[in-house]
Amino acid sequence: MALVTRIRRAVLTLPAAEPGPDNPLPPLRPLDEVHRLDGPEPSGMPPDMARRLRLAPLRDLLPVRVRDGYDRMRAPRRLDALVIENDRLRATVLPGLGGRVVSLLHLPTGRELLYRNPVFQPANFALNGAWFSGGIEWNIGATGHTTLSCAPLHAAPVPAPDGGPMLRLWEWERLRDLPFQVDLWLPDGSDFLYVGVRIRNPHDRPVPTYWWSNTAVPEEVRILVPADEAWHFGHERRLRRVPVPSYEGVDRSRPLAGPHAADYFYEIPDGRRRWIAALGADGHGLVQTSTDALRGRKLFVWGSGPGGRRWQRWLTEPGTGGYCEIQAGLARTQLEHVPLDAEGEVSWLEAYGPLDAPAEGEWGEAVRGAARRLETALPRARVEAAYAAWRAHADAEPGELLATGSGWGALEVLHGNRKLPGTPFPESTLGEAQEPWRELLRTGALPAPRRAQPSGETLVAPHWRDLLESAPADPHTEYHLGVAQWHAGDRAQAVRSWERALPGAAARWPLLRCLAVADQEDGHHDRAADRYAAAFDDLCDHLRRELPGAGVPDADGETWTAVRAALGRESLRALLVVRRTADARAVWERLPPAVRRRGRFRLLEAELLLAEGRGAEARAVFDTDFEIADLREGEDVLGRVWATLTDEPLPAHYDFRMRPGPA
């Protein structure tokens, strides 16, 4: 019989917000990641879990940039997609958006197995900002949603173990400098999508590794998993061991039962098959299972409270049903990192497909019933055999590129002369962002940017820092060297590098801004405010000197608007901290009008007005019903500022509170 599995190109047209430009300032501090503990570790924690909780937390996001240029103005937009399908399943993948599987359609029944978001709306959930909800996402790097959430991956067909096609996605993850691949495989006649994942460590040192596969499903389901205990983690940032499915009188296997957003990391006993299912009242739904290397299983719920409901509406459009997430990871919890040995690798196979099993009734019986149905539909031995068959094809060279990711992997391969069978990073993928670093590698000197552009991204890995230290010490190189030293934890030396660069720098604002961040980290807030004010003055002077016609054609365009917005936002915050309202007002007045109209800056305007003693005008800003496009998950700033204005309840459209109690 002829194989029917095929891969084809497609286009999705969705109401979509523009991603916008990245933040041009180097992220010297991490965004506020909600997946971290506040306070002591809980008693009774397994020793390996405790070790992994402490392993290599991020100090910053370097070399990745923050993605905060998106808005909330949606219009029809064409998104390139790849479809892999057989006669049973159709998986639709967005290679330009992290390789997200946005749809998994069971063809015989016509049932969509995932929560499929009808819009593309970035929101501030990824480690570096922009992220969107729905489908199956591949999270690699560090605790939180991957920096690749809205970034392109390489994609190409490769031969599958059964002779048909397999869709390979791959990239170079930059937070940990690790190449990875995700192979999507639909055996002929299979009701299950197989996903082979491999992460490789090409370095001569161990590297902390992180992976969670997150699957969004409609929230009006019951979650079944072979566990009787879980680690509960909420936005109060505490871990506690709780019984499954019920505690405090509430059945937590039902996503809408509890009022608050929460994570439940399940303790699946050793030796038991690892799976998690989301089943509706009719018994139909999705199951995910894997080989044992992917040990963790988790449920994330938004809860039934007003904050969770507001977030659900925020991430999609009115009238759309809500979702929860069932997840699978390398560790027990998402607060952990797993060491990957030097020149080692880790791999596993996942499977996603329909499951029909009674969801109601006593917990143990429901779980056992679902396990029996899963074993009938997809025996555990078949998953193990599929993994072994896939491993023999993991090094297969891809065919014609169907999508192209970044050039950073090609640069790393070029530097280390690395051989990575199955995941090629050809020099043809090198682009403008990589060119200065390619030149540093070739000549030993880092070329300065054209006068019309701000400094580009900084590479911070030890091998690039060594090259920067050996390069001619001009101001541009000293700036990048300081950023790399800061990332390495040598903050005193970073400050010295930036200070050395100041006298000869054509533009002083990037250096002053870095020094201001260093001052803030050391608690010198007055000096930080001085430097921020000087940096913003220098930026404005620089643009005034270099207006269109004098070498900066983009002075009022996207790039420089992003610079002014980013530096202006940080400067305003620093000046308000030390109550220098006149200087803050001077920064505000020099921001472009379009920037001042953004929701984040409307909030800053309200805070500035409050600091100036103009409370009624600050309240009037809130009365305009502004929206902060890049509001951070767990951020309570709206409630906090509102509480300084009035004793009235926080209006529902501003209520994004995700933790118990008042904001």
Side-chain angles (χ1 to χ4, degrees):
M1 187 176 82
L3 293 169
V4 298
T5 301
R6 63 175 181 148
I7 296 171
R8 59 182 172 86
R9 297 180 187 271
V11 173
L12 294 185
T13 301
L14 298 177
E18 286 294 332
D22 289 353
N23 189 315
L25 305 181
L28 302 179
R29 292 170 291 211
L31 296 183
D32 183 23
E33 170 51 40
V34 298
H35 292 100
R36 61 176 175 81
L37 283 181
D38 283 351
E41 296 172 357
S43 60
M45 180 182 294
D48 63 330
M49 181 176 170
R51 287 193 301 272
R52 291 171 175 179
L53 279 170
R54 306 183 197 110
L55 179 63
L58 289 183
R59 287 192 295 262
D60 55 57
L61 295 174
L62 293 164
V64 177
R65 284 189 165 179
V66 172
R67 310 200 72 176
D68 61 2
Y70 52 88
D71 57 30
R72 292 187 56 80
M73 302 294 292
R74 295 193 288 266
R77 180 178 165 213
R78 292 165 60 87
L79 301 176
D80 290 334
L82 297 171
V83 174
I84 179 169
E85 60 187 332
N86 62 9
D87 58 346
R88 309 290 295 176
L89 280 179
R90 177 184 300 146
T92 303
V93 181
L94 298 181
L97 293 170
R100 184 78 60 96
V101 180
V102 293
S103 172
L104 188 60
L105 186 66
H106 188 235
L107 297 174
T109 61
R111 291 203 303 265
E112 174 60 63
L113 301 180
L114 308 176
Y115 167 77
R116 184 170 182 173
N117 197 333
V119 305
F120 171 67
Q121 178 56 65
N124 195 356
F125 281 67
L127 285 164
N128 64 331
W131 168 90
F132 65 107
S133 65
I136 308 171
E137 57 175 314
W138 318 113
N139 287 291
I140 182 174
T143 295
H145 292 281
T146 178
T147 62
L148 297 168
S149 293
C150 292
L153 304 188
H154 303 284
V158 295
D162 61 0
M166 183 162 61
L167 178 61
R168 176 162 298 162
L169 307 165
W170 73 98
E171 236 317 345
W172 193 284
E173 198 286 313
R174 301 178 67 205
L175 290 180
R176 303 301 193 185
D177 264 339
L178 297 176
F180 72 97
Q181 69 191 75
V182 177
D183 289 353
L184 307 179
W185 170 29
L186 270 175
D188 188 24
S190 174
D191 278 312
F192 284 83
L193 173 68
Y194 292 164
V195 182
V197 182
R198 177 169 63 168
I199 306 171
R200 287 186 275 195
N201 177 9
H203 307 291
D204 59 2
R205 64 187 186 279
V207 175
T209 310
Y210 175 92
W211 183 279
W212 282 81
S213 301
N214 292 7
T215 304
V217 293
E219 65 184 350
E220 293 183 355
V221 293
R222 191 181 193 196
I223 306 302
L224 299 179
V225 61
D228 296 315
E229 290 185 310
W231 293 94
H232 170 270
F233 183 79
H235 281 267
E236 65 277 13
R237 294 174 175 170
R238 297 286 191 275
L239 266 177
R240 55 176 170 161
R241 206 166 192 157
V242 300
V244 171
S246 298
Y247 78 95
E248 296 179 343
V250 177
D251 182 354
R252 309 288 171 158
S253 68
R254 303 180 189 280
L256 287 169
H260 304 296
D263 298 327
Y264 299 92
F265 299 102
Y266 296 106
E267 280 280 8
I268 298 178
D270 290 342
R272 296 190 71 175
R273 186 175 185 179
R274 300 187 181 276
W275 60 271
I276 188 168
L279 302 178
D282 59 2
H284 300 313
L286 172 81
V287 65
Q288 187 273 359
T289 188
S290 72
T291 50
D292 287 351
L294 202 65
R295 66 169 300 173
R297 291 300 184 275
K298 171 194 161 183
L299 166 65
F300 166 74
V301 299
W302 284 105
S304 60
R309 296 298 91 197
R310 183 69 181 100
W311 274 114
Q312 292 267 31
R313 295 191 299 274
W314 182 255
L315 297 172
T316 183
E317 63 182 8
T320 302
Y323 75 95
C324 62
E325 287 185 355
I326 55 175
Q327 306 181 11
L330 281 175
R332 281 184 176 87
T333 74
Q334 288 177 328
L335 287 71
E336 303 167 66
H337 298 94
V338 178
L340 183 56
D341 291 339
E343 299 181 348
E345 64 178 56
V346 61
S347 64
W348 61 91
L349 188 89
E350 305 179 46
Y352 297 80
L355 186 69
D356 295 321
E360 302 304 318
E362 187 269 332
W363 174 254
E365 182 55 37
V367 169
R368 288 189 293 272
R372 289 192 295 267
R373 295 288 183 91
L374 173 59
E375 187 64 19
T376 299
L378 184 66
R380 186 176 186 179
R382 189 184 302 169
V383 175
E384 297 291 344
Y387 171 65
W390 167 74
R391 283 292 294 139
H393 288 72
D395 285 348
E397 288 303 312
E400 178 187 2
L401 276 178
L402 300 175
T404 303
S406 77
W408 296 112
L411 187 68
E412 293 298 334
V413 167
L414 189 64
H415 179 277
N417 193 27
R418 305 185 191 282
K419 305 298 181 185
L420 296 167
T423 54
F425 294 95
E427 286 191 50
S428 59
T429 61
L430 292 169
E432 183 179 354
Q434 293 82 40
E435 190 55 39
W437 301 94
R438 186 185 194 184
E439 188 70 8
L440 173 64
L441 187 60
R442 188 178 68 85
T443 67
L446 185 69
R450 292 179 290 112
R451 193 170 57 166
Q453 296 293 331
S455 296
E457 298 180 55
T458 302
L459 297 185
V460 297
H463 49 278
W464 293 107
R465 188 173 72 248
D466 290 345
L467 287 173
L468 288 169
E469 288 173 345
S470 302
D474 58 77
H476 177 66
T477 301
E478 292 276 25
Y479 161 77
H480 285 288
L481 175 58
V483 174
Q485 291 165 333
W486 179 273
H487 174 75
D490 192 353
R491 296 189 168 185
Q493 188 58 54
V495 168
R496 285 192 287 271
S497 295
W498 293 326
E499 289 177 338
R500 278 198 306 268
L502 268 176
R508 292 162 47 88
W509 63 265
L511 298 157
L512 289 167
R513 181 262 175 178
C514 289
L515 290 167
V517 172
D519 285 333
Q520 286 178 323
E521 291 294 288
D522 289 339
H524 302 307
H525 295 289
D526 286 299
R527 191 165 67 196
D530 288 339
R531 281 178 160 154
Y532 266 120
F536 196 77
D537 287 345
D538 185 74
L539 172 62
C540 293
D541 290 344
H542 178 75
L543 293 179
R544 195 162 42 244
R545 291 193 307 268
E546 308 286 351
L547 288 175
V552 183
D554 193 35
D556 291 317
E558 185 178 78
T559 300
W560 286 106
T561 297
V563 172
R564 286 196 281 181
L567 185 59
R569 174 175 165 179
E570 290 188 13
S571 300
L572 281 165
R573 290 243 48 89
L575 290 164
L576 287 173
V577 164
V578 296
R579 304 196 63 80
R580 286 171 51 176
T581 55
D583 291 330
R585 175 61 62 183
V587 169
W588 173 264
E589 296 296 341
R590 285 178 289 173
L591 290 170
V595 170
R596 294 202 299 262
R597 288 193 294 269
R598 297 178 189 173
R600 177 66 67 177
F601 287 85
R602 297 306 312 278
L603 178 64
L604 279 169
E605 180 185 21
E607 293 183 83
L608 174 57
L609 289 165
L610 270 172
E612 293 171 330
R614 299 158 66 182
E617 293 171 75
R619 170 61 188 266
V621 172
F622 272 80
D623 291 340
T624 63
D625 295 346
F626 61 86
E627 294 184 317
I628 302 176
D630 66 332
L631 190 70
R632 185 71 174 161
E633 179 187 11
E635 187 177 1
D636 61 7
V637 63
L638 284 165
R640 176 174 51 79
V641 175
W642 177 263
T644 66
L645 292 169
T646 178
D647 293 330
E648 297 173 22
L650 182 66
H653 57 279
Y654 291 133
D655 190 354
F656 293 87
R657 292 172 293 185
M658 296 176 68
R659 65 178 69 196

